[in-house]
Amino acid sequence: MTIQPAKLSDPAVRAFVTAVNAHDRDAFMSLLTDDATMSDDGSDRDLDEWIDREIFSSNGHLDVANESQGGRALVANYRNDTWGEMRTRWAFTVADDGRISRFETGQA
């Protein structure tokens, strides 16, 4: 069962998934705070380098299986041209202005 991005509960997370799946880097970057951080499998990564490699240069795509914590935690099948498809977890911290200040991902 997949949750359509438009039906995700949290507006920032909904926009994040939509931007990833549309391969819209400008929209994606506009969702992040200026000092946004991220981690992959528990290790902090360079945000710009990671999103280029794992999302935009490799055709990343999220199919959300479920959400929790008011829509700020997802389990999704994530696929890209580098790694194929894998079950992943995503957690988002959303700042007061509605933009994402941190996201954490990793294998679920």
Side-chain angles (χ1 to χ4, degrees):
M1 177 80 183
T2 299
I3 301 172
Q4 294 304 312
K7 299 202 185 285
L8 293 171
S9 301
D10 187 273
V13 174
R14 181 183 327 128
F16 180 99
V17 173
T18 299
V20 167
N21 291 351
H23 309 292
D24 188 338
R25 184 184 169 86
D26 291 338
F28 181 92
M29 294 306 292
S30 74
L31 300 169
L32 303 178
T33 61
D34 294 339
D35 60 350
T37 60
M38 62 87 52
S39 71
D40 185 0
D41 283 329
S43 298
D44 277 23
R45 308 293 174 140
D46 179 278
L47 179 71
D48 290 326
E49 179 184 298
W50 190 91
I51 62 172
D52 280 340
R53 184 179 67 247
E54 300 293 339
I55 299 174
F56 294 106
S57 69
S58 60
N59 297 306
H61 188 88
L62 279 161
D63 289 320
V64 178
N66 65 55
E67 64 175 1
S68 58
Q69 297 177 19
R72 293 191 178 171
L74 307 177
V75 174
N77 289 323
Y78 185 75
R79 67 180 180 273
N80 67 24
D81 294 345
T82 305
W83 303 109
E85 185 168 312
M86 67 186 78
R87 189 86 157 169
T88 56
R89 57 176 170 66
W90 298 76
F92 298 88
T93 303
V94 179
D96 291 341
D97 68 0
R99 294 187 301 160
I100 295 167
S101 60
R102 181 170 177 82
F103 66 92
E104 298 174 13
T105 186
Q107 293 196 43

